[in-house]
Amino acid sequence: METDPSLTIAVEDVKDNQENHYTGSNLTSSRERGYRKTYNNYNNYRYHNRQGQGGNYNAHYYNNGYNSYNNGYNNGYNNHNNYGGGRNYSHKGGNHMTGQYDRVSSGGQAGIRRPNYYGRSCYSENRSWNQAINIDELADKYHVVGESERPHELAPPGHELEKLSEQVWIKFQNNQQTLETYRRKLELWRELAETVRRYNHSYHLEMVGSTISGFGSNTSDIDMCLILDHRHSQDPRSEAIDILEAVCPLFELLPHLEKTELIMAKVPILKLNEKSRGIDIDINVNNAVGLRNTHLLQAYSLLDWRVRPLVLVVKLWAHTQGINDAKQMTLSSYSLALMVIHYLQAGASPTILPSLQVEFREKFAPGADFWKNKKQIRDPAYFEWKAENVNSQCLGELLVGFLEYYASTFEYRSNAISVRVGATIPVKNCMLNRSAKNDAYQWKHICIEEPFEFTNTARSVYDKDVFDRIRGVFYASWQRLVISRDLESIFQTISPIEARAIGARAKQL
């Protein structure tokens, strides 16, 4: 099996017996946690707790009471890559096996068994820890920057929305993520991934979100997910805070990063900022559904060339109108992308996109082999779907139709958007879905089903006035576009008071 360089992170050579000292900050337990990390010839990680306290900490790198060694990472045998996984070994020499990792050998080579997040084992092939990741190769293989050439025909010659289609395409081209920005993001990811990998071999840092899905702009931030063996923690939020607090000092040592901040939200986020270009970086812990979301959205972006321009222009428009910020009780970029995909599934006629989770269940089901599918997604044979009736609508028609659909057609009170099934579903059914993160109180004004967790991605819109304003922006923008046929008309700010008044009476208009 060929190694996917985006899945296995490399670490650089380290000198024999090189010591680095890290002093931990005051963590949730209010105890000072300091660690001395020593690297031997074979990248054996040994963690010593300076306080000598045994049995007090549960995370991977904390002392578990075994002779003052931390979770078996130092078991006294220095000639092997020893992955303790919470156990003290009693064997000397040869290969060591644990429940979490196997095929670990001496000499700096390891065949990694990845933690089982999705019900199936996922492997990467043997790879030297000091093998560098080739950014050029990775950028070429996972090139998600955009179309190298414009489509042969954006709209039929003489079409009434030919100019609007041209404007949508130009707006997309001028704002999409460039190859230069994409490469810089890859370089930042590689550096951060290698940093956490040196700290703990069981940590894997993956890029998620619009950077990878293809829906990012040139000013989008980078979302990353720190993946580790969760060990079924009784308090995953506290564990995530502990882990982010532990790695934060490592990132603060990197010269081009600044403004590190840990956000104690429901899902804790470590925020970083890259100095030279002002790229924001958000890191979460074990939010593994983000990997599947990114994979799904990237797949939709590849099905039809019109998807990415529409999503990006809608995001830019929503941001200009002040309705693209979940922190301000409006819509997240993820929700907007799902709204566009749903429209292309159920609003456009003939349909443009299928439900990938229906048509290709084996590739997108919760138990599917995510890592294998992620690698194969750009293979032309990956999708073998063709619409029964080809939709030839231009970008201008689709943008007008999208605004009209959510301004006057969609039934917000009774229906929820479901990209998972490719149609609307009753809100009452969403309330009854059994999911660890779902509850009936999420489903209020705008209901958008999360394709894997069955929660409401638009639960941030819980205020009726804000909902009216969002709907009013859709309605006013639709009317402007119908009258002017000029894209810039919808980028002229609509006042919140005006939008709220329009939205409140939208059903009667």
Side-chain angles (χ1 to χ4, degrees):
M1 186 188 301
E2 180 186 354
T3 301
D4 184 347
S6 74
L7 304 183
T8 304
I9 316 300
V11 296
E12 299 171 350
D13 284 323
V14 292
K15 297 179 180 179
D16 295 351
N17 300 320
Q18 178 183 3
E19 294 186 359
N20 292 295
H21 297 274
Y22 299 96
T23 302
S25 58
N26 289 330
L27 304 186
T28 307
S29 62
S30 298
R31 303 190 184 199
E32 181 179 358
R33 299 171 183 176
Y35 303 97
R36 179 165 64 86
K37 182 184 283 188
T38 303
Y39 303 84
N40 70 1
N41 292 346
Y42 301 108
N43 297 329
N44 182 42
Y45 279 49
R46 301 182 291 174
Y47 297 85
H48 299 271
N49 189 304
R50 290 174 179 169
Q51 304 300 321
Q53 301 175 28
N56 292 325
Y57 308 118
N58 295 322
H60 309 307
Y61 38 80
Y62 301 155
N63 190 305
N64 64 6
Y66 289 118
N67 302 319
S68 297
Y69 296 130
N70 289 290
N71 266 351
Y73 282 106
N74 180 1
N75 60 13
Y77 306 115
N78 301 328
N79 294 323
H80 303 280
N81 280 319
N82 298 329
Y83 281 62
R87 305 177 184 179
N88 236 4
Y89 290 135
S90 59
H91 304 290
K92 189 171 185 177
N95 292 342
H96 299 286
M97 311 291 286
T98 74
Q100 283 75 38
Y101 302 90
D102 57 16
R103 297 194 300 163
V104 179
S105 60
S106 62
Q109 293 281 346
I112 308 162
R113 183 174 181 176
R114 292 189 173 278
N116 188 350
Y117 300 108
Y118 305 113
R120 297 180 61 182
S121 298
C122 306
Y123 290 85
S124 60
E125 281 296 288
N126 287 350
R127 182 185 180 93
S128 172
W129 291 121
N130 60 15
Q131 181 177 344
I133 297 173
N134 188 309
I135 291 295
D136 289 323
E137 174 188 342
L138 196 58
D140 180 67
K141 187 171 184 178
Y142 295 97
H143 184 58
V144 292
V145 174
E147 311 292 334
S148 56
E149 298 179 1
R150 59 175 280 151
H152 175 67
E153 188 175 86
L154 290 173
H159 191 283
E160 60 180 356
L161 295 179
E162 181 180 11
K163 176 185 174 182
L164 178 59
S165 298
E166 181 75 27
Q167 290 176 319
V168 172
W169 179 258
I170 292 173
K171 178 76 78 173
F172 166 65
Q173 286 286 80
N174 290 343
N175 290 276
Q176 67 175 323
Q177 180 175 260
T178 65
L179 180 57
E180 180 185 3
T181 298
Y182 181 50
R183 285 173 53 85
R184 179 56 184 153
K185 289 181 177 181
L186 287 175
E187 289 166 357
L188 284 170
W189 162 73
R190 177 175 65 178
E191 184 173 19
L192 296 177
E194 289 174 349
T195 298
V196 298
R197 192 62 175 270
R198 292 190 197 102
Y199 177 70
N200 191 316
H201 273 186
S202 68
Y203 289 8
H204 303 276
L205 192 66
E206 296 285 345
M207 281 200 298
V208 296
S210 61
T211 297
I212 298 299
S213 69
F215 295 138
S217 72
N218 211 37
T219 59
S220 297
D221 58 8
I222 313 175
D223 294 314
M224 299 188 191
C225 181
L226 184 58
I227 297 292
L228 60 147
D229 182 3
H230 200 283
R231 301 183 184 277
H232 308 290
S233 170
Q234 295 298 315
D235 190 355
R237 181 178 179 275
S238 293
E239 184 183 42
I241 292 172
D242 282 356
I243 292 168
L244 292 175
E245 283 185 313
V247 300
C248 183
L250 308 180
F251 297 147
E252 288 176 341
L253 295 175
L254 300 176
H256 51 274
L257 292 181
E258 62 179 359
K259 297 180 182 178
T260 58
E261 180 184 7
L262 181 56
I263 306 298
M264 304 291 191
K266 186 175 182 180
V267 177
I269 298 291
L270 179 60
K271 299 184 77 68
L272 311 171
N273 181 266
E274 193 259 355
K275 293 180 182 178
S276 63
R277 300 187 185 180
I279 299 175
D280 292 323
I281 304 166
D282 291 348
I283 302 176
N284 63 65
V285 176
N286 266 2
N287 187 22
V289 71
L291 297 169
R292 291 212 173 267
N293 293 341
T294 301
H295 176 231
L296 181 68
L297 293 189
Q298 185 186 29
Y300 277 116
S301 76
L302 296 171
L303 280 178
D304 191 287
W305 68 268
R306 294 168 290 186
V307 178
R308 291 184 56 223
L310 280 172
V311 170
L312 183 54
V313 169
V314 165
K315 285 170 59 177
L316 294 170
W317 158 77
H319 179 76
T320 299
Q321 297 296 348
I323 60 170
N324 178 207
D325 188 350
K327 295 177 183 177
Q328 300 298 322
M329 300 185 296
T330 58
L331 296 164
S332 67
S333 293
Y334 180 44
S335 291
L336 289 166
L338 293 178
M339 291 175 76
V340 174
I341 292 170
H342 168 74
Y343 169 70
L344 298 177
Q345 291 174 325
S349 182
T351 186
I352 294 175
L353 296 178
S355 164
L356 290 176
Q357 290 166 280
V358 172
E359 297 290 335
F360 301 94
R361 180 174 174 77
E362 72 285 357
K363 293 181 172 69
F364 297 97
D369 190 339
F370 165 77
W371 302 103
K372 176 182 177 182
N373 291 332
K374 175 183 175 182
K375 179 179 177 180
Q376 295 177 345
I377 192 171
R378 289 186 170 273
D379 185 340
Y382 190 77
F383 301 115
E384 297 179 358
W385 178 84
K386 290 185 178 180
E388 294 182 4
N389 299 301
V390 177
N391 184 311
S392 59
Q393 287 180 289
C394 62
L395 289 173
E397 287 178 284
L398 293 175
L399 181 58
V400 172
F402 167 81
L403 294 173
E404 179 182 9
Y405 182 75
Y406 290 109
S408 67
T409 304
F410 186 80
E411 293 289 343
Y412 290 94
R413 289 188 178 181
S414 57
N415 289 337
I417 292 165
S418 177
V419 166
R420 176 178 58 88
V421 300
T424 59
I425 56 177
V427 172
K428 61 182 180 180
N429 290 2
C430 297
M431 293 180 175
L432 298 175
N433 270 334
R434 291 186 176 181
S435 170
K437 297 182 179 181
N438 187 39
D439 64 69
Y441 300 102
Q442 300 181 6
W443 304 88
K444 291 190 175 181
H445 303 295
I446 301 178
C447 300
I448 305 174
E449 182 194 55
E450 206 292 316
F452 297 101
E453 291 187 327
F454 310 123
T455 55
N456 182 12
T457 70
R459 58 186 176 273
S460 56
V461 186
Y462 58 81
D463 183 84
K464 179 62 164 58
D465 286 344
V466 175
F467 166 67
D468 285 341
R469 179 163 69 89
I470 292 172
R471 190 170 187 180
V473 168
F474 271 92
Y475 193 94
S477 297
W478 167 45
Q479 290 298 301
R480 286 182 180 184
L481 213 52
V482 168
I483 295 170
S484 69
R485 300 179 184 178
D486 182 358
L487 182 63
E488 291 308 309
S489 67
I490 67 172
F491 282 85
Q492 296 172 12
T493 305
I494 302 166
S495 76
I497 295 176
E498 177 189 358
R500 201 157 43 240
I502 295 173
R505 53 191 176 91
K507 288 301 293 183
Q508 287 77 42
L509 294 175

